[in-house]
Amino acid sequence: MLNFVEMNISTTDTIKIRRITAQLQKEHDRLRAKFKFLKFQDFIGLGLLIISVFGILVSSYLWFVGVMSTIVLVLTIAFWNSILHELEHDLIHGLYFKKVKFLHNIMLFTVWFFRPLTLNPWIRKYWHYNHHQHSGQPIDIEERGVTNGERWGFMRLLITADLVLGFVFRVRRLKREIKQEKINGNFSDKDSKMLKNTVLFGLLPFGIPLHILFYCWILLKSLLYLNLVSTNYWTNEFMEIANVIIYIFVLPNLLRQFCLHFITSNMHYYGDIEEGNILQQTQVLNSWWTWPFQLFCFNFGSTHSIHHFVVNEPFYLRQMSVKKAHEVFKQEGIRFNDTMSFKNANRYGKR
Ligand SMILES: [Zn+2]
Ligand SMILES: [Zn+2]
């Protein structure tokens, strides 16, 4: 269990947090008692991994032989990848084969291989634990990396899906802010070292080359479309190879990342919340208009708040407990569909 900072939080809020956590835990216990198969947690995780990878391979084959259209391929793989994302998060929290390191690492590598635009999961683990401890603070690198706390506009829209552009366009400002946090004593030397490693190696060997390939692909496609380049042997060769990689690995992940980053960066609050106060860290984002996004991030907007209170439960259990959890959240005043936070860069503010 992570050690949440409870200093500076009012007694009323501390009691509320304990009450919510206890009720959610009780619901999870009830589900575990009712559905006995849930005890085979390691194998459920492995099973879901195998099914998702099989789904991706079958879709790719059907597309390759011309049975499946490209758009259906991209949508289908984005959906399977949303399950792989949840599995990665569960693996980061040590929920599958924690003691069988070899298998645990194979699973972690597999979910990365099929979502190759993402950060190295062994590095992400550090920032994800940091997210739990400092959610909504300037040093919450994981959420800030996916635009949490930025003002909404064309720039945020552009960088919501693309981690590389998000870094390139904001590096100077973020560097300045992190430097200040270091002076304030909130960012340790270990954090700084880790951040340096993240920037240098986090998107290697997959992420950076694939982003470059994607930009070249867009450029060449545009030049061909505008007749500024004529089709020849080399453009045909490039497109034939690039299309396979772009349609199977890049576009589904950009779509999935856009949906996940849009939901997560807006359901977490930023900047004006008390450190460690779980009541203020998230809202539930499950309005009807969020459904196209939820489809490719496995209902993240509905369920991620549960995870902030009860960390060590797998994602499918959160889906099963969502009805009860929302009842509890409503009773205790957790916000639902607070669109005001879109207007003021995810600030909690007074409502
Ligand atoms: Zn987590
Ligand atoms: Zn979170």
Side-chain angles (χ1 to χ4, degrees):
M1 188 59 142
L2 294 156
N3 190 15
F4 292 108
V5 186
E6 287 196 10
M7 311 173 298
N8 303 325
I9 302 171
S10 70
T11 319
T12 325
D13 281 1
T14 306
I15 291 169
K16 272 188 175 195
I17 292 169
R18 295 214 171 115
R19 208 158 49 205
I20 296 172
T21 308
Q23 293 204 64
L24 296 181
Q25 249 154 12
K26 199 172 145 196
E27 176 64 3
H28 289 145
D29 291 345
R30 186 188 70 80
L31 289 166
R32 283 190 183 281
K34 189 174 172 190
F35 301 104
K36 296 278 185 259
F37 69 89
L38 289 170
K39 68 180 172 202
F40 301 110
Q41 191 165 300
D42 289 340
F43 293 98
I44 294 174
L46 184 61
L48 288 170
L49 178 84
I50 292 169
I51 291 169
S52 305
V53 168
F54 188 68
I56 292 171
L57 296 178
V58 169
S59 310
S60 304
Y61 173 75
L62 292 177
W63 171 74
F64 206 74
V65 295
V67 175
M68 188 182 270
S69 70
T70 305
I71 181 80
V72 176
L73 172 82
V74 170
L75 295 175
T76 313
I77 294 185
F79 171 77
W80 291 119
N81 279 341
S82 75
I83 298 177
L84 295 184
H85 171 82
E86 291 291 348
L87 289 172
E88 180 197 73
H89 179 223
D90 284 354
L91 285 160
I92 281 174
H93 282 292
L95 298 182
Y96 310 122
F97 292 105
K98 195 179 181 181
K99 288 182 184 140
V100 191
K101 277 278 170 259
F102 176 71
L103 204 47
H104 175 91
N105 287 331
I106 292 259
M107 287 178 78
L108 213 46
F109 181 80
T110 309
V111 297
W112 186 29
F113 180 81
F114 285 98
R115 295 157 44 265
L117 306 183
T118 57
L119 204 60
N120 173 327
W122 289 274
I123 293 180
R124 185 189 165 211
K125 184 175 182 172
Y126 186 85
W127 297 119
H128 187 68
Y129 277 49
N130 180 71
H131 165 64
H132 278 288
Q133 280 171 334
H134 306 289
S135 184
Q137 305 302 316
I139 57 165
D140 181 0
I141 301 295
E142 184 178 69
E143 274 305 313
R144 298 204 67 197
V146 297
T147 74
N148 178 232
E150 299 288 331
R151 295 226 158 268
W152 260 107
F154 176 71
M155 179 60 85
R156 181 160 172 179
L157 189 69
L158 184 69
I159 63 180
T160 292
D162 191 323
L163 292 174
V164 174
L165 288 186
F167 173 77
V168 171
F169 289 139
R170 298 181 300 160
V171 62
R172 284 175 68 182
R173 175 164 54 85
L174 292 180
K175 210 172 158 186
R176 207 169 46 236
E177 288 179 26
I178 294 295
K179 209 170 167 186
Q180 188 55 48
E181 288 302 312
K182 210 172 170 193
I183 294 166
N184 297 345
N186 298 328
F187 206 66
S188 69
D189 286 343
K190 193 179 173 198
D191 293 335
S192 294
K193 202 177 149 202
M194 209 48 200
L195 190 56
K196 209 175 267 177
N197 283 340
T198 307
V199 170
L200 290 175
F201 307 115
L203 290 175
L204 287 174
F206 307 128
I208 297 289
L210 285 176
H211 276 89
I212 293 170
L213 178 73
F214 177 60
Y215 303 145
C216 293
W217 182 77
I218 296 253
L219 184 69
L220 185 58
K221 250 193 173 328
S222 311
L223 292 173
L224 287 169
Y225 181 76
L226 296 170
N227 278 330
L228 295 171
V229 168
S230 52
T231 312
N232 58 44
Y233 172 78
W234 293 109
T235 57
N236 283 344
E237 282 290 294
F238 174 81
M239 277 300 177
E240 204 164 302
I241 298 167
N243 279 348
V244 174
I245 301 170
I246 298 287
Y247 293 141
I248 294 174
F249 289 98
V250 179
L251 286 185
N253 276 301
L254 282 178
L255 170 68
R256 179 195 67 79
Q257 282 179 193
F258 181 81
C259 295
L260 174 70
H261 296 173
F262 178 80
I263 293 289
T264 187
S265 69
N266 286 298
M267 55 87 54
H268 286 93
Y269 286 105
Y270 176 79
D272 60 347
I273 60 169
E274 293 163 6
E275 182 151 25
N277 190 340
I278 309 174
L279 297 177
Q280 300 174 352
Q281 286 173 353
T282 63
Q283 60 161 315
V284 174
L285 207 53
N286 65 346
S287 211
W288 63 268
W289 61 267
T290 64
W291 275 100
F293 302 99
Q294 313 275 11
L295 188 61
F296 299 109
C297 63
F298 221 82
N299 201 18
F300 194 89
S302 255
T303 57
H304 186 67
S305 298
I306 304 171
H307 177 63
H308 274 239
F309 289 94
V310 179
V311 177
N312 291 323
E313 291 288 7
F315 74 101
Y316 47 86
L317 210 60
R318 280 196 287 286
Q319 302 293 336
M320 292 165 79
S321 68
V322 76
K323 194 164 166 263
K324 175 70 185 170
H326 286 184
E327 274 172 31
V328 175
F329 287 164
K330 278 187 180 140
Q331 275 164 15
E332 302 288 354
I334 297 289
R335 290 182 189 163
F336 280 67
N337 301 307
D338 167 24
T339 45
M340 277 297 282
S341 94
F342 285 73
K343 292 187 187 128
N344 57 6
N346 309 122
R347 298 306 187 274
Y348 190 73
K350 300 224 182 312
R351 302 279 190 275

